[in-house]
Amino acid sequence: MDIVKYIGLCLLALVWVGLCVYMLVARGVTLYNLLVVAISGGIVFVPLWKKFIRNDKNKR
């Protein structure tokens, strides 16, 4: 994975973590909110993992 993709993935992760922290602080830590955070992480990062990280391992 080249450096530009790595930096973009890191920035996306930082924005996602910031939004999750903001949501948990503003709305409280409940089971529903934790489930929303977990599902949103899956929706955001699983396709990116399949596209960038898994494909890079197959190319080597």
Side-chain angles (χ1 to χ4, degrees):
M1 191 159 76
D2 61 347
I3 192 74
V4 175
K5 289 179 184 176
Y6 183 74
I7 290 172
L9 191 59
C10 289
L11 286 175
L12 179 66
L14 285 174
V15 168
W16 179 79
V17 167
L19 289 172
C20 289
V21 168
Y22 176 73
M23 186 187 85
L24 292 175
V25 168
R27 299 185 73 193
V29 179
T30 63
L31 183 60
Y32 177 77
N33 290 341
L34 291 175
L35 183 64
V36 168
V37 167
I39 291 173
S40 70
I43 290 171
V44 170
F45 291 110
V46 168
L48 292 174
W49 177 78
K50 286 181 179 180
K51 182 176 182 179
F52 294 120
I53 297 172
R54 188 174 67 180
N55 286 340
D56 282 347
K57 289 181 182 177
N58 289 339
K59 288 180 184 177
R60 292 181 186 168

